[in-house]
Every structure is written in structure tokens, then in C-alpha cells.
Amino acid sequence: MEVGDYKRFLLLSMRNKFVVFIKKYFLYSLRSTIISLFLPVIIFFIAFTGWISYHLAVTQLEENAYKNVDDTVFQTKSYLENRLYDVFEQLVAFSNDPKTLDLIDSEFSEVDPNDYVQMNNSLKVIHLTYNTIIESILVDMHNGEFSLYRSDFRKNFNQFPYKKYTEEYRGSKQGFYWHNEHPDDIFASKSEVVSVFKLIGNEHTKANGILLFNLRKSFFENVLNKSLIGDHGYLTLVSRDGTFNSKTVSDEYRLSPKELSFLQSLQDEKGRYEFKNAFGKNMTIIYDTIGVNKWKVAAVFPTDEILKKVNYIKFVTVIIILILTTIAILIANFLAKYITNPVSTLVYQTKQINENNLNISFSHKGPREIGIMKTALDDLLVKIKTLLAQIRLEQDEKRQLEFSIMHAQINPHFLYNTLYSIKGLSDMGMNKEASSMITALSNFFRISISRGKEIISLEEEIAHIQNYLIIQEMRYGDDFSYEIMINPSLLNFKIVKLTLQPLIENAIYHGVKQKRGKGTIFIKGYEINGIVCLEVIDNGLGIDSDKLRIINEELHSKGSNSSTIGIGLRSVHERIKLHFGEDYGLSIESVAGVGTKTMVKIPKSRGD
């Protein structure tokens, strides 16, 4: 979302919410004022009118209270239904994939090894796309001979208990089932999960097995815990095989097995009913049904807790009636000005808010409620300004980073020196060397462009620096030599383009060229605990400890504009973090007079 769109969205939401609220408050206040003005004439009817208003208010409050809970249940149900349908749709699509159907209808000996790769890639995409919901995935067929899974934990079994599942789950024509909160019996995660799966196997298929998605308990907790329904109310997911409660409550507010069984047996998709539990508590349940698996989202709460404001309103109403009866004439005009004017002023000021006018100071002259609304408006405007400033800062950093990348990709000074060296070789009749240098230069820029791709393979990155080193070696003759030692098994993994070239450039210009005699540059690549480590090591002059400390501090200081480190190093470090996360990037080690080692850490990744 662009800054302007985000800004307009926040402003519109804030303004509409407060204008509606203030108008309602204004109408209520105006009604009270009019009644006060007519009190001298209708003093006899004020008590009667007050009691009618009280009963209407109580009725409306009860309706609103239940409506608010009902809205909460509906919104929670709708959100869960959308997300669970997305997951279920992925399971259905995967089960109907031609590769899956071929696997089901064929003998294991006929399975093409490429099917493993293709199906594993499909599972990887599903797991990454829905990682916030899906904790683990299992595909197990042909009695365990064909097995794929996506999980951070090992499987709990050598052979899937297919017979146990088929005995426990029956009745679905398509073979799809849902299992409410339960211990993970598939993987050694030692956590609670919710499962959706398809059992495979009938007289028409050659494979017995399961396609299973384990859903994260934390996903359901986050959704259900967002809604607060009193101190002892809670949301619960109810299915025929159990429940999933949003929070832990004391025994007197829990559903007993009898009450739970009744709720599970209800045929209506939505509704409300009240009952008295074994502890004598009057409880209310408002429920709605998720379409994708027919589970009920139910709000369970003590009835008196949701209606506790009714007695408060009754007390306040009686006091107000008595006060108005005795002093209405004296305060009528004062109330009209004291209530109406501040609200009108606040409404007018709120309407002045637009995307070009955020510097509004709301005045506060009136009741405490006006002060609360004024404070809320001020806080929201401050948050909007802060968010917009943060968005602008992030966009500025992004543009600066893009500029750094362009600067590193198109280096006129390097191109000029190389072309001048090629001219010198041609003038000396060294056409073969000039041709080699031109070839290296063209390959260098071909890989630099990479058809606009930001992520390339490590093999392409190594080819890129080899061309760069060929050019530099031909330019500087015997000033330095280099050696590349990269584990071949790492070449297919992905890396951010132009990661190593700036590091080698630093090693040449700030390392080996500054020392006497011939220098050496080593480029190493290896893997440690699933992390690809790339090192550029030189035996140049090195860096003293104070300067090295400053360089590392500035390298890891986001937004720093110091010139101590070059634009190339900062660009490499920031781009790695942008693409792979905060755990990856550059680190520099150096000993003065001995040399410098720059290390790059990136994850093992075969995706773009």
C-alpha cells in the first residue's frame, strides 16, 4: 500500500468512527437538554418518561450486548472459515493433482523418482505459503513405501497406523476428515495440533495411505484470544470429537460433558440459548457454524456478567430523574451550552481532518467524555504521523539501497580502467590477451545484468568474480594471485547478485595492493549447520583494532551514513538481510600487518 493510500485509509477510518460516535453522543445530549427545558411544564410526567426511557434503554442494552457478542462470534467464524477453507482447498487440490492420482492408482514399483521431487516441491510451496497456519505435512502411501513430509521434527512411526485411522474415521464419501485439538501423534513435536486429512484406500485404488496437514495450535489461540467476552467468558471451537478453548477458566464456568454434548447435538447452524450449570451460574451460549468442517464457534459467558451495566443504568437513571425533578429549571440552559457546544466544536474539528491537514489541536471544553474523545483523537493523529514518517523512512532507505545496487553494477571507473588496459594491450600487439580481457569483461557485465534478477546461483556468482579477477590480474600483473576453493555441492544454492565482487575489490585495493611484494586472495565456500559460509581472505596490511571496531559498528548500524565503510560493503550487507533475514549478512575480521577476512553468511536456499 502506498503512503497516500495508507494515509487516506487511516484518516477515513478514524474520522468516520469518531464522527458517528460524536453524533450519537450529541443526539443523546440534545434529547436530555430538550427534556430539561420542558421540565417546568411536564414535571408530573418526568418520572413516567424516565422509567419508560430506562426500560427502553435496558432492552436496547441487552440487545446490543448480545448483538456485540453475536458479531464477535460471526467475525471469528468468518475469519476461521476463510483461513481453514484456504488450507482445505490446498489439501483437495493436492489430492486431485494428476501426480497424486497416478501415485494412488499405480504400484509403488511404477513410481517415477521424479514424482518425489515434484510432489515434494508442491508440499514445500504449500508449507511456505501457509506457514502461519500449517505446522507440518505428511504424505504416506503404499503402506509407508512412499513417504514425504514437511516438519521440523522427525516422524513418530516407521509405518503409518492406517488401520487405526480407518477404524476411527468413517462416513466421508471423499475421505476428508477434521480432528480437533489433540497431541501430535505423527511427529515428535510434543505439541497440540488440529488436523485435516484425507484417508486414501478402497477397492479401486492400489495405495493405502494418508494426506495430512497438522495446523498450529498458536494460530487458533491467536484468533480466539483476540475477543474478550467479560472476565469469565471465552470462545471455544466445538466439534464432535472435542473442543478448543480460547483460555483457561475456573470449573464453575466450564461446560460440563452434558452441556457440551447438547451443544454438539444442535442441528441449527447458529443460535443462542441459556442454562443454569451445576454451580448455579446462569450461563449463555451464542454459537455459529464454520461451513468447511461444520465445527461450531461458541461464546460461553455468565449471563449476569454481560448485562452487569443494566443495574448500573437503573441506579443512574433514578438519580438523574430525582435531580432533574428538583433542579431542572436551574440547569437547563447551562446543560444546553455545556453539552452541545463542545460536541459541535469537536465534530467540526474532526471533519477538518484530511490527508493534507494533520496538524489539528482539538479543544476540550465540556464533560469528561469529551476529554476522552479529544485525547483519543490526539493519540490517533500522533500514531498516524509516526506511521507515515516510518513509511517514508523505509521508502527512503529502499531507494538508497537501490541506488547503491545501481552504483555497484555500473562502475564507470572500473569500466574506464579496463577499456584503457585493453587499448594498451592492443597497442602493444598483444591481441590474444586483449581478446581474453574483452571476453572476461563481457562475461562480467552479462552476469551483472542477469536479466534483471536479484537472486542468482552461487555458480553464476563464482563465474562473475572469476571474470573480475581475470581482468584485475591482467591489469596488475604479478601484484597478486588468487585461489578459489568452493565446495561443489554448494554451487546450486542461491545468493544475492554482486555479493562477492565488492568484497574482492576491497581485498585488492585496500589489502594486497597496499603491501610490498606479491599478495594472495583466497575465496572459500563451505557449509556449517545448514548455513552457507563464504570467505574472502587477503594477506594485505590488515586493519587496526580501533578502526575495525568502528567499521563493524557502522556495518551493523541501520541507516548510518558514515563514509568509513564503502557503499559496496553496506549494499551487500543490507541486501542480504533484506532477502534472507536479520540472522545473515557480513562480518569482518582483521589483524594489522597480517590480513583481513570478510565472511558472508546466507541460508541454503534453492528458491528465488
Side-chain angles (χ1 to χ4, degrees):
M1 184 180 289
E2 294 297 328
V3 175
D5 295 337
Y6 190 77
K7 186 177 181 181
R8 283 190 288 273
F9 172 78
L10 288 175
L11 289 170
L12 185 62
S13 300
M14 181 195 71
R15 189 169 64 184
N16 289 346
K17 181 185 294 185
F18 276 86
V19 167
V20 170
F21 183 82
I22 292 172
K23 282 182 178 179
K24 289 183 178 179
Y25 182 82
F26 178 81
L27 293 175
Y28 175 82
S29 304
L30 186 60
R31 184 181 66 180
S32 300
T33 303
I34 293 174
I35 292 175
S36 299
L37 292 173
F38 281 89
L39 274 177
V41 181
I42 57 172
I43 193 69
F44 175 76
F45 300 99
I46 191 65
F48 178 72
T49 303
W51 278 109
I52 291 178
S53 298
Y54 159 71
H55 287 294
L56 290 175
V58 167
T59 302
Q60 188 63 45
L61 279 172
E62 290 180 356
E63 291 180 359
N64 289 344
Y66 287 123
K67 182 64 168 58
N68 288 337
V69 177
D70 186 70
D71 288 344
T72 299
V73 171
F74 175 78
Q75 291 169 6
T76 304
K77 183 270 295 187
S78 298
Y79 179 78
L80 284 173
E81 187 169 48
N82 289 336
R83 299 309 303 275
L84 295 181
Y85 181 80
D86 289 342
V87 172
F88 183 70
E89 191 176 50
Q90 293 299 316
L91 180 61
V92 173
F94 184 81
S95 66
N96 292 328
D97 186 271
K99 293 294 182 184
T100 306
L101 296 176
D102 288 345
L103 182 63
I104 293 172
D105 296 333
S106 64
E107 300 291 344
F108 177 72
S109 59
E110 301 172 4
V111 176
D112 187 343
N114 289 328
D115 291 344
Y116 273 98
V117 176
Q118 295 181 18
M119 294 181 72
N120 186 59
N121 288 339
S122 298
L123 294 181
K124 180 179 180 182
V125 171
I126 294 173
H127 193 232
L128 289 176
T129 304
Y130 296 92
N131 186 257
T132 57
I133 306 178
I134 299 177
E135 179 174 294
S136 55
I137 300 175
L138 172 68
V139 176
D140 192 280
M141 286 184 275
H142 292 287
N143 296 320
E145 292 183 337
F146 184 97
S147 181
L148 291 173
Y149 68 92
R150 303 288 303 178
S151 175
D152 294 333
F153 303 93
R154 61 174 177 81
K155 292 191 295 185
N156 272 336
F157 56 84
N158 292 324
Q159 185 171 351
F160 177 74
Y162 177 76
K163 183 177 180 181
K164 172 187 173 183
Y165 267 64
T166 54
E167 291 175 353
E168 186 172 349
Y169 297 96
R170 298 180 181 180
S172 172
K173 293 181 180 180
Q174 293 79 24
F176 291 101
Y177 301 93
W178 293 80
H179 190 183
N180 210 328
E181 182 184 9
H182 64 282
D184 188 354
D185 58 348
I186 303 298
F187 300 100
S189 63
K190 298 182 180 180
S191 63
E192 303 287 323
V193 294
V194 174
S195 300
V196 55
F197 56 90
K198 178 177 182 178
L199 290 175
I200 298 171
N202 55 47
E203 65 275 10
H204 303 297
T205 61
K206 297 182 179 181
N208 290 331
I210 188 171
L211 308 178
L212 176 141
F213 291 175
N214 276 336
L215 310 185
R216 298 182 186 277
K217 178 181 179 180
S218 59
F219 164 74
F220 293 93
E221 288 177 337
N222 290 337
V223 174
L224 298 178
N225 286 337
K226 286 182 179 179
S227 303
L228 301 177
I229 308 176
D231 295 332
H232 302 101
Y234 59 95
L235 287 176
T236 182
L237 269 177
V238 180
S239 64
R240 293 190 179 276
D241 61 349
T243 61
F244 190 114
N245 295 330
S246 60
K247 67 179 182 181
T248 302
V249 295
S250 58
D251 292 340
E252 58 185 323
Y253 299 105
R254 292 181 184 173
L255 292 176
S256 68
K258 177 181 177 181
E259 294 152 359
L260 178 59
S261 177
F262 177 75
L263 179 58
Q264 291 170 328
S265 66
L266 292 174
Q267 299 300 314
D268 295 335
E269 289 193 357
K270 60 184 302 182
R272 182 185 87 197
Y273 67 92
E274 299 178 2
F275 64 93
K276 180 176 288 188
N277 64 18
F279 295 89
K281 296 286 186 181
N282 292 319
M283 303 292 292
T284 299
I285 294 180
I286 297 177
Y287 66 91
D288 204 340
T289 304
I290 299 174
V292 68
N293 55 11
K294 303 306 179 184
W295 290 5
K296 290 182 174 63
V297 178
V300 183
F301 54 90
T303 306
D304 58 348
E305 190 171 281
I306 203 71
L307 300 177
K308 63 183 178 181
K309 290 186 178 180
V310 173
N311 291 331
Y312 172 77
I313 294 296
K314 177 180 179 180
F315 173 78
V316 171
T317 302
V318 172
I319 296 299
I320 290 176
I321 290 173
L322 293 176
I323 293 175
L324 290 177
T325 302
T326 56
I327 61 174
I329 297 175
L330 299 177
I331 65 173
N333 292 330
F334 172 78
L335 285 176
K337 293 180 180 179
Y338 184 70
I339 297 176
T340 305
N341 291 348
V343 174
S344 300
T345 301
L346 203 56
V347 170
Y348 173 80
Q349 292 175 334
T350 304
K351 288 183 176 180
Q352 303 307 307
I353 300 174
N354 57 61
E355 57 184 295
N356 297 317
N357 184 18
L358 293 177
N359 297 317
I360 292 179
S361 178
F362 296 96
S363 60
H364 172 217
K365 294 180 180 179
R368 183 176 65 87
E369 290 79 4
I370 302 297
I372 294 173
M373 287 189 288
K374 180 260 183 189
T375 302
L377 284 167
D378 286 335
D379 291 342
L380 276 175
L381 282 178
V382 171
K383 291 178 181 178
I384 290 173
K385 293 176 184 177
T386 303
L387 286 172
L388 292 176
Q390 182 178 351
I391 292 172
R392 292 191 186 100
L393 178 61
E394 291 176 352
Q395 290 189 337
D396 289 341
E397 290 179 349
K398 182 179 178 182
R399 285 194 293 269
Q400 182 63 33
L401 191 56
E402 292 171 349
F403 172 78
S404 301
I405 297 170
M406 292 174 61
H407 186 278
Q409 289 178 334
I410 304 173
N411 191 328
H413 185 69
F414 169 70
L415 179 60
Y416 166 79
N417 287 336
T418 305
L419 291 175
Y420 191 80
S421 298
I422 293 171
K423 177 182 179 303
L425 292 172
S426 298
D427 290 343
M428 292 186 292
M430 301 174 69
N431 295 330
K432 185 176 181 180
E433 289 79 358
S435 175
S436 298
M437 202 167 187
I438 290 172
T439 300
L441 182 63
S442 64
N443 289 334
F444 174 82
F445 280 104
R446 176 179 58 80
I447 298 174
S448 294
I449 296 171
S450 298
R451 292 177 294 178
K453 294 190 298 183
E454 179 68 9
I455 303 296
I456 62 176
S457 68
L458 182 57
E459 184 176 13
E460 292 176 291
E461 181 72 3
I462 296 302
H464 180 258
I465 63 170
Q466 284 175 328
N467 287 300
Y468 177 77
L469 286 165
I470 289 171
I471 294 169
Q472 296 292 51
E473 189 177 37
M474 293 181 72
R475 285 181 57 199
Y476 295 111
D478 296 330
D479 285 355
F480 74 94
S481 63
Y482 66 90
E483 185 176 352
I484 299 177
M485 297 169 287
I486 302 292
N487 189 331
S489 64
L490 304 178
L491 294 179
N492 289 328
F493 292 109
K494 300 299 182 180
I495 189 172
V496 178
K497 180 176 63 179
L498 298 179
T499 293
L500 297 178
Q501 184 265 331
L503 309 185
I504 295 173
E505 183 177 347
N506 272 8
I508 294 173
Y509 289 104
H510 301 293
V512 297
K513 280 190 65 178
Q514 304 299 322
K515 67 170 288 185
R516 291 184 179 181
K518 186 173 183 178
T520 304
I521 297 175
F522 298 94
I523 298 95
K524 298 181 179 180
Y526 52 90
E527 175 194 350
I528 297 179
N529 297 328
I531 296 176
V532 177
C533 299
L534 303 171
E535 296 180 352
V536 177
I537 306 170
D538 67 75
N539 61 349
L541 291 181
I543 308 170
D544 64 67
S545 58
D546 290 337
K547 186 175 181 180
L548 179 63
R549 177 180 53 80
I550 295 172
I551 289 174
N552 280 316
E553 287 176 356
E554 293 179 358
L555 185 64
H556 294 88
S557 177
K558 189 173 182 181
S560 173
N561 295 318
S562 174
S563 60
T564 303
I565 61 175
I567 193 170
L569 282 181
R570 183 176 301 284
S571 174
V572 170
H573 187 63
E574 294 296 334
R575 285 188 294 134
I576 290 174
K577 287 186 174 294
L578 180 64
H579 283 282
F580 298 122
E582 292 295 324
D583 294 333
Y584 305 99
L586 298 184
S587 62
I588 302 173
E589 300 176 9
S590 184
V591 178
V594 176
T596 301
K597 177 174 74 175
T598 305
M599 176 181 287
V600 177
K601 290 185 178 180
I602 57 175
K604 290 175 61 177
S605 171
R606 297 181 185 272
D608 289 334

